[in-house]
Each structure stands twice: as C-alpha cells, then as structure tokens.
Coordinates of all heavy atoms in Angstrom, one line a residue:
M20 N 99.1 100.2 95.5 CA 100.2 99.7 94.8 C 100.1 98.2 94.8 O 99.7 97.5 95.8 CB 101.5 100.1 95.5 CG 102.7 99.7 94.7 SD 104.3 100.4 95.3 CE 104.2 102.0 94.6
R21 N 100.5 97.5 93.7 CA 100.4 96.1 93.5 C 101.8 95.5 93.3 O 102.6 96.1 92.6 CB 99.5 95.8 92.2 CG 98.1 96.4 92.3 CD 97.6 96.6 90.9 NE 98.4 97.5 90.2 CZ 98.6 97.4 88.9 NH1 98.0 96.5 88.1 NH2 99.4 98.3 88.2
G22 N 102.0 94.4 93.9 CA 103.3 93.8 93.7 C 103.3 92.3 93.4 O 102.3 91.6 93.5
A23 N 104.5 91.8 93.1 CA 104.7 90.4 92.9 C 105.9 89.9 93.7 O 106.9 90.7 93.9 CB 105.0 90.1 91.4
I24 N 105.9 88.7 94.2 CA 107.0 88.1 95.0 C 107.6 87.0 94.2 O 106.9 86.2 93.6 CB 106.5 87.6 96.3 CG1 106.0 88.7 97.2 CG2 107.5 86.7 97.0 CD1 105.4 88.3 98.5
Y25 N 108.9 87.0 94.1 CA 109.7 85.9 93.5 C 110.6 85.4 94.5 O 111.6 86.0 95.0 CB 110.4 86.4 92.3 CG 111.2 85.3 91.6 CD1 110.6 84.3 90.9 CD2 112.6 85.2 91.7 CE1 111.3 83.3 90.3 CE2 113.4 84.2 91.1 CZ 112.7 83.2 90.4 OH 113.4 82.2 89.8
S26 N 110.4 84.1 94.9 CA 111.3 83.4 95.9 C 111.9 82.2 95.2 O 111.2 81.4 94.6 CB 110.5 82.9 97.1 OG 109.9 84.0 97.8
R27 N 113.2 82.1 95.3 CA 113.9 81.0 94.7 C 115.0 80.5 95.6 O 115.7 81.3 96.3 CB 114.6 81.5 93.4 CG 115.3 80.3 92.6 CD 116.1 80.9 91.4 NE 117.1 81.8 91.8 CZ 118.3 81.5 92.4 NH1 118.6 80.2 92.6 NH2 119.1 82.4 92.7
V28 N 115.2 79.2 95.6 CA 116.3 78.5 96.3 C 117.0 77.6 95.2 O 116.3 77.3 94.3 CB 115.9 77.8 97.5 CG1 115.5 78.7 98.7 CG2 114.8 76.7 97.2
S29 N 118.2 77.3 95.5 CA 119.0 76.5 94.5 C 118.8 75.0 94.5 O 119.0 74.4 93.5 CB 120.5 76.9 94.6 OG 120.7 78.2 94.4
T30 N 118.4 74.5 95.6 CA 118.4 73.0 95.7 C 117.0 72.6 96.3 O 116.3 73.3 97.0 CB 119.5 72.5 96.6 OG1 119.3 72.8 98.0 CG2 120.9 72.9 96.2
E31 N 116.7 71.3 96.1 CA 115.5 70.7 96.5 C 115.4 70.7 98.1 O 114.3 70.7 98.6 CB 115.3 69.3 96.0 CG 114.9 69.3 94.5 CD 113.5 69.9 94.3 OE1 112.6 69.7 95.1 OE2 113.4 70.6 93.2
I32 N 116.6 70.6 98.7 CA 116.5 70.5 100.2 C 116.3 71.8 100.9 O 116.0 71.9 102.1 CB 117.8 69.8 100.7 CG1 119.1 70.5 100.4 CG2 117.8 68.3 100.3 CD1 120.3 70.0 101.0
Q33 N 116.5 72.9 100.1 CA 116.3 74.3 100.7 C 114.8 74.6 100.7 O 114.0 74.0 99.9 CB 117.1 75.3 99.9 CG 118.6 75.1 100.1 CD 119.4 76.1 99.2 OE1 119.1 76.1 98.0 NE2 120.3 76.8 99.8
D34 N 114.4 75.6 101.5 CA 113.0 76.0 101.6 C 112.9 77.5 101.3 O 113.6 78.3 102.0 CB 112.5 75.6 102.9 CG 111.0 76.0 103.1 OD1 110.3 75.9 102.1 OD2 110.6 76.3 104.2
Y35 N 112.0 77.9 100.4 CA 111.8 79.3 100.1 C 110.7 79.9 101.0 O 110.4 81.1 100.9 CB 111.5 79.5 98.7 CG 110.5 78.6 98.1 CD1 109.2 78.6 98.4 CD2 110.9 77.7 97.1 CE1 108.3 77.7 97.9 CE2 110.0 76.8 96.6 CZ 108.7 76.8 97.0 OH 107.8 75.9 96.4
G36 N 110.1 79.1 101.8 CA 109.0 79.6 102.6 C 109.3 80.8 103.5 O 108.5 81.8 103.5
K37 N 110.4 80.9 104.1 CA 110.8 82.0 104.9 C 110.9 83.3 104.1 O 110.5 84.4 104.5 CB 112.1 81.7 105.7 CG 112.5 82.9 106.7 CD 113.7 82.5 107.5 CE 114.0 83.7 108.4 NZ 115.2 83.5 109.1
Q38 N 111.5 83.2 102.9 CA 111.7 84.3 102.0 C 110.3 84.9 101.7 O 110.1 86.1 101.8 CB 112.3 83.9 100.7 CG 113.8 83.6 100.7 CD 114.3 83.2 99.3 OE1 113.7 83.6 98.3 NE2 115.3 82.4 99.3
T39 N 109.4 84.0 101.3 CA 108.1 84.4 100.9 C 107.3 85.1 102.0 O 106.7 86.2 101.9 CB 107.3 83.2 100.3 OG1 107.9 82.7 99.2 CG2 105.9 83.7 99.9
D40 N 107.4 84.5 103.2 CA 106.7 85.1 104.4 C 107.3 86.4 104.7 O 106.5 87.4 105.0 CB 106.9 84.1 105.6 CG 106.0 82.8 105.4 OD1 105.1 82.8 104.6 OD2 106.3 81.9 106.2
E41 N 108.6 86.6 104.7 CA 109.2 87.9 105.0 C 108.8 89.0 104.0 O 108.5 90.1 104.3 CB 110.7 87.8 105.1 CG 111.1 87.1 106.4 CD 112.6 86.9 106.4 OE1 113.4 87.4 105.6 OE2 113.1 86.3 107.4
L42 N 108.7 88.6 102.7 CA 108.3 89.5 101.7 C 106.9 89.9 101.8 O 106.5 91.1 101.5 CB 108.7 89.0 100.3 CG 110.2 88.8 100.0 CD1 110.5 88.0 98.8 CD2 110.9 90.2 100.0
K43 N 106.0 88.9 102.1 CA 104.6 89.2 102.3 C 104.4 90.2 103.5 O 103.6 91.1 103.4 CB 103.8 87.9 102.5 CG 103.6 87.1 101.2 CD 103.1 85.7 101.4 CE 101.9 85.5 102.2 NZ 101.5 84.1 102.3
D44 N 105.1 89.9 104.5 CA 105.0 90.8 105.7 C 105.5 92.2 105.4 O 104.8 93.2 105.8 CB 105.9 90.3 106.9 CG 105.3 89.0 107.5 OD1 104.1 88.7 107.3 OD2 106.1 88.3 108.2
Y45 N 106.6 92.4 104.6 CA 107.1 93.7 104.2 C 106.0 94.4 103.4 O 105.7 95.6 103.6 CB 108.4 93.5 103.4 CG 108.9 94.9 103.0 CD1 109.7 95.7 103.8 CD2 108.6 95.3 101.7 CE1 110.1 96.9 103.4 CE2 109.1 96.6 101.3 CZ 109.8 97.4 102.1 OH 110.3 98.6 101.7
A46 N 105.4 93.7 102.4 CA 104.4 94.3 101.6 C 103.2 94.7 102.4 O 102.7 95.9 102.2 CB 104.0 93.3 100.5
A47 N 102.8 93.9 103.3 CA 101.6 94.3 104.1 C 101.9 95.5 105.0 O 101.1 96.4 105.1 CB 101.2 93.1 105.0
R48 N 103.1 95.6 105.5 CA 103.5 96.8 106.4 C 103.5 98.1 105.5 O 103.4 99.2 106.1 CB 104.8 96.6 107.0 CG 104.8 95.6 108.2 CD 106.1 95.7 109.0 NE 107.3 95.6 108.2 CZ 108.0 94.5 107.8 NH1 107.5 93.3 108.2 NH2 109.1 94.6 107.1
N49 N 103.7 97.9 104.2 CA 103.8 99.1 103.3 C 102.6 99.3 102.4 O 102.7 100.0 101.4 CB 105.1 99.0 102.5 CG 106.3 99.2 103.4 OD1 106.7 100.3 103.7 ND2 106.9 98.1 103.8
N50 N 101.5 98.6 102.8 CA 100.2 98.8 102.1 C 100.3 98.4 100.6 O 99.8 99.1 99.8 CB 99.6 100.2 102.3 CG 99.4 100.5 103.7 OD1 98.8 99.6 104.4 ND2 99.8 101.6 104.2
I51 N 101.1 97.4 100.3 CA 101.2 96.9 99.0 C 100.5 95.6 98.8 O 100.7 94.6 99.6 CB 102.7 96.7 98.6 CG1 103.4 98.1 98.7 CG2 102.8 96.1 97.2 CD1 104.9 98.1 98.6
E52 N 99.6 95.5 97.9 CA 98.8 94.3 97.6 C 99.6 93.3 96.8 O 100.1 93.6 95.7 CB 97.5 94.6 96.9 CG 96.7 93.4 96.6 CD 95.5 93.8 95.7 OE1 95.4 95.0 95.2 OE2 94.6 92.9 95.5
V53 N 99.9 92.1 97.3 CA 100.6 91.1 96.6 C 99.6 90.4 95.7 O 98.7 89.7 96.1 CB 101.3 90.1 97.5 CG1 102.0 89.0 96.7 CG2 102.3 90.8 98.4
K54 N 99.8 90.6 94.4 CA 98.9 90.0 93.4 C 99.4 88.7 92.9 O 98.6 87.8 92.5 CB 98.8 91.0 92.2 CG 98.3 92.3 92.5 CD 96.8 92.3 92.8 CE 96.0 92.1 91.5 NZ 94.6 92.2 91.7
Y55 N 100.7 88.5 92.9 CA 101.3 87.2 92.4 C 102.4 86.8 93.3 O 103.2 87.6 93.8 CB 101.9 87.4 91.0 CG 100.9 88.0 90.0 CD1 100.8 89.3 89.7 CD2 100.2 87.1 89.2 CE1 99.9 89.8 88.8 CE2 99.3 87.5 88.2 CZ 99.1 88.9 88.1 OH 98.2 89.4 87.1
I56 N 102.5 85.5 93.5 CA 103.7 84.9 94.2 C 104.2 83.8 93.3 O 103.5 82.9 92.9 CB 103.3 84.3 95.5 CG1 102.7 85.4 96.4 CG2 104.4 83.5 96.2 CD1 102.2 84.9 97.8
F57 N 105.5 83.9 93.0 CA 106.2 82.9 92.2 C 107.3 82.3 93.1 O 108.1 83.0 93.7 CB 106.9 83.5 91.0 CG 105.9 84.2 90.1 CD1 105.7 85.6 90.2 CD2 105.1 83.5 89.2 CE1 104.8 86.2 89.4 CE2 104.2 84.1 88.4 CZ 104.0 85.5 88.5
E58 N 107.3 80.9 93.2 CA 108.3 80.2 94.0 C 108.9 79.1 93.2 O 108.1 78.4 92.5 CB 107.7 79.7 95.3 CG 107.0 80.7 96.2 CD 106.2 80.2 97.3 OE1 105.4 79.2 97.1 OE2 106.4 80.7 98.4
E59 N 110.2 78.9 93.3 CA 110.8 77.7 92.6 C 112.1 77.3 93.3 O 112.8 78.1 93.9 CB 110.9 77.9 91.1 CG 111.8 79.1 90.7 CD 111.7 79.3 89.2 OE1 111.2 78.4 88.5 OE2 112.1 80.4 88.8
K60 N 112.4 76.0 93.0 CA 113.6 75.4 93.5 C 114.5 75.0 92.3 O 114.3 74.0 91.7 CB 113.3 74.2 94.4 CG 112.6 74.5 95.7 CD 112.4 73.3 96.5 CE 111.8 73.7 97.8 NZ 111.7 72.6 98.8
V61 N 115.3 76.0 91.9 CA 116.2 75.8 90.7 C 117.3 76.7 90.8 O 117.2 77.8 91.3 CB 115.3 76.0 89.4 CG1 114.8 77.4 89.3 CG2 116.1 75.6 88.2
S62 N 118.5 76.3 90.3 CA 119.7 77.1 90.3 C 119.4 78.4 89.5 O 118.8 78.3 88.4 CB 120.9 76.3 89.7 OG 122.0 77.2 89.5
G63 N 120.0 79.5 89.9 CA 119.9 80.7 89.2 C 120.7 80.7 87.9 O 120.5 81.6 87.0
F64 N 121.6 79.7 87.8 CA 122.4 79.6 86.6 C 121.6 78.9 85.4 O 122.0 78.9 84.3 CB 123.7 78.8 86.8 CG 124.6 79.6 87.6 CD1 124.9 79.3 89.0 CD2 125.3 80.7 87.1 CE1 125.8 80.0 89.7 CE2 126.2 81.5 87.9 CZ 126.4 81.1 89.2
K65 N 120.5 78.3 85.7 CA 119.7 77.6 84.7 C 118.8 78.5 84.0 O 118.2 79.5 84.6 CB 118.9 76.5 85.4 CG 119.8 75.4 85.9 CD 119.0 74.1 86.2 CE 119.9 73.0 86.7 NZ 119.3 71.8 86.7
D66 N 118.7 78.3 82.7 CA 117.8 79.1 81.9 C 116.3 78.7 82.0 O 115.4 79.4 81.7 CB 118.2 79.0 80.4 CG 119.5 79.8 80.1 OD1 119.8 80.7 80.9 OD2 120.2 79.4 79.2
D67 N 116.1 77.4 82.4 CA 114.8 76.9 82.5 C 114.1 77.1 83.8 O 114.0 76.2 84.6 CB 114.8 75.4 82.2 CG 113.4 74.8 82.0 OD1 112.5 75.6 81.7 OD2 113.2 73.6 82.2
R68 N 113.8 78.4 84.1 CA 113.2 78.8 85.3 C 111.7 79.2 85.0 O 111.4 80.3 84.7 CB 113.9 79.9 86.0 CG 115.3 79.5 86.5 CD 116.0 80.5 87.4 NE 116.5 81.6 86.6 CZ 116.8 82.8 87.1 NH1 116.6 83.0 88.4 NH2 117.2 83.7 86.3
T69 N 110.8 78.2 85.1 CA 109.4 78.4 84.7 C 108.8 79.6 85.4 O 108.1 80.4 84.8 CB 108.7 77.1 85.0 OG1 109.3 76.0 84.3 CG2 107.2 77.2 84.5
E70 N 108.9 79.6 86.7 CA 108.2 80.7 87.5 C 108.8 82.1 87.2 O 108.1 83.1 87.1 CB 108.3 80.4 89.0 CG 107.5 79.2 89.4 CD 106.1 79.3 89.1 OE1 105.4 80.2 89.6 OE2 105.6 78.4 88.3
F71 N 110.1 82.1 87.0 CA 110.8 83.4 86.6 C 110.3 83.9 85.2 O 110.0 85.1 85.1 CB 112.3 83.2 86.6 CG 113.0 84.5 86.3 CD1 113.0 85.6 87.2 CD2 113.6 84.8 85.1 CE1 113.7 86.8 87.0 CE2 114.3 85.9 84.8 CZ 114.3 86.9 85.8
K72 N 110.1 82.9 84.3 CA 109.5 83.3 83.0 C 108.1 83.9 83.1 O 107.8 84.8 82.4 CB 109.6 82.1 82.1 CG 111.0 81.8 81.6 CD 111.0 80.6 80.7 CE 112.5 80.2 80.4 NZ 112.6 79.0 79.5
K73 N 107.3 83.3 84.0 CA 106.0 83.9 84.3 C 106.1 85.3 84.8 O 105.3 86.2 84.4 CB 105.2 83.0 85.3 CG 104.8 81.7 84.7 CD 104.1 80.9 85.8 CE 103.9 79.4 85.4 NZ 103.3 78.7 86.5
L74 N 107.0 85.5 85.7 CA 107.2 86.9 86.3 C 107.6 87.9 85.2 O 107.1 89.0 85.2 CB 108.3 86.8 87.4 CG 108.8 88.1 88.0 CD1 107.7 88.8 88.7 CD2 110.0 87.9 88.9
E75 N 108.5 87.4 84.3 CA 109.0 88.3 83.2 C 107.9 88.8 82.3 O 108.0 89.8 81.7 CB 110.0 87.6 82.4 CG 111.4 87.5 83.0 CD 112.4 86.9 82.1 OE1 112.1 85.8 81.5 OE2 113.5 87.5 82.0
K76 N 106.8 88.0 82.2 CA 105.7 88.3 81.3 C 104.7 89.4 81.9 O 103.9 90.0 81.2 CB 104.9 87.1 81.0 CG 105.6 86.1 80.1 CD 104.8 84.9 79.8 CE 105.6 84.0 78.9 NZ 104.9 82.7 78.6
L77 N 104.9 89.7 83.2 CA 104.0 90.7 83.8 C 104.5 92.1 83.3 O 105.6 92.4 83.0 CB 104.2 90.7 85.3 CG 103.7 89.4 86.0 CD1 103.9 89.5 87.5 CD2 102.2 89.1 85.7
T78 N 103.5 93.0 83.2 CA 103.7 94.4 82.7 C 103.3 95.4 83.8 O 102.8 95.0 84.9 CB 102.9 94.7 81.5 OG1 101.5 94.7 81.8 CG2 103.2 93.6 80.4
K79 N 103.5 96.6 83.5 CA 103.1 97.7 84.4 C 101.6 97.7 84.6 O 101.1 98.3 85.6 CB 103.5 99.1 83.9 CG 105.0 99.3 84.0 CD 105.4 100.7 83.6 CE 106.9 100.9 83.8 NZ 107.3 102.2 83.5
N80 N 100.8 97.1 83.7 CA 99.4 97.0 83.9 C 99.1 95.9 85.0 O 98.0 95.9 85.5 CB 98.7 96.6 82.6 CG 98.8 97.7 81.6 OD1 98.7 98.9 81.9 ND2 98.9 97.4 80.3
D81 N 100.0 95.0 85.2 CA 99.8 93.9 86.2 C 100.3 94.3 87.6 O 99.6 94.0 88.6 CB 100.5 92.7 85.7 CG 100.0 92.2 84.4 OD1 98.8 92.0 84.2 OD2 100.9 91.9 83.5
I82 N 101.5 94.9 87.7 CA 102.1 95.2 89.0 C 102.9 96.5 88.9 O 103.2 96.9 87.8 CB 103.0 94.0 89.4 CG1 104.1 93.8 88.4 CG2 102.2 92.8 89.8 CD1 105.2 92.9 88.9
D83 N 103.2 97.0 90.1 CA 104.0 98.2 90.2 C 105.4 97.9 90.7 O 106.3 98.6 90.5 CB 103.4 99.2 91.1 CG 102.0 99.5 90.7 OD1 101.8 100.1 89.6 OD2 101.0 99.3 91.5
I84 N 105.6 96.7 91.4 CA 106.8 96.4 92.1 C 107.0 94.9 92.2 O 106.1 94.2 92.3 CB 106.9 97.1 93.5 CG1 108.3 97.1 94.1 CG2 105.8 96.5 94.4 CD1 108.5 98.0 95.3
I85 N 108.3 94.5 92.2 CA 108.7 93.1 92.4 C 109.5 93.0 93.7 O 110.4 93.8 93.9 CB 109.5 92.6 91.2 CG1 108.7 92.6 89.9 CG2 110.1 91.2 91.5 CD1 109.5 92.3 88.7
F86 N 109.2 92.0 94.5 CA 109.9 91.8 95.7 C 110.7 90.4 95.5 O 110.1 89.4 95.1 CB 109.0 91.6 96.9 CG 108.3 92.9 97.2 CD1 106.9 93.0 96.9 CD2 108.9 93.9 97.9 CE1 106.2 94.1 97.2 CE2 108.2 95.1 98.2 CZ 106.9 95.2 97.9
S87 N 112.0 90.4 95.9 CA 112.8 89.2 95.8 C 113.9 89.4 96.8 O 114.3 90.5 97.2 CB 113.3 89.0 94.4 OG 114.0 87.8 94.4
V88 N 114.4 88.2 97.3 CA 115.6 88.2 98.1 C 116.8 87.9 97.3 O 116.8 86.8 96.6 CB 115.4 87.2 99.3 CG1 116.7 87.1 100.1 CG2 114.2 87.6 100.1
G89 N 117.8 88.7 97.3 CA 119.0 88.4 96.5 C 118.8 88.7 95.1 O 118.0 89.4 94.7
I90 N 119.7 88.1 94.3 CA 119.7 88.3 92.9 C 118.7 87.3 92.2 O 118.6 86.2 92.5 CB 121.1 88.0 92.3 CG1 122.0 89.0 92.9 CG2 121.1 88.1 90.8 CD1 123.5 88.7 92.6
I91 N 117.8 87.9 91.3 CA 116.9 87.1 90.6 C 117.4 86.7 89.3 O 117.1 85.9 88.6 CB 115.5 87.7 90.5 CG1 115.5 89.0 89.8 CG2 114.9 87.8 91.9 CD1 114.1 89.6 89.6

C-alpha cells in the first residue's frame, strides 16, 4: 500500500515536524510506503495552499491512502 502525508500548521512559529514524524511512524508500523510528503505553514482558511493543491492532484494510480492530523 502507498500513502501520502499532509502536515499543516497555521502560523510561521508553529512546527509541523512532530505531525510528520508521527504519521511516518504510523505508516511504517502498518507496512505502508510513504510516497509523498506535503508540509506547509498556512491557515486552513486560505485558498492558496500550494502543497495541498499538489496533494489534490494525486490519483489512485499514485497512492492508496492519505495521512493527516486534523482537518485538511
């Protein structure tokens, strides 16, 4: 199984590293290969989320599952 990780925080002073690490660990424990990692520091209310737009372009041919913390 192949997956993608999307980690986002709302402000520049926040860090998404812990989110990404926890999601990578979860994937590894469940034998899921992480093919893509998308990380960004931008409010979820903004439409201009570059990394999220990249995630949206993936298809079933690219990945089987998306991992994220909270609402994407």
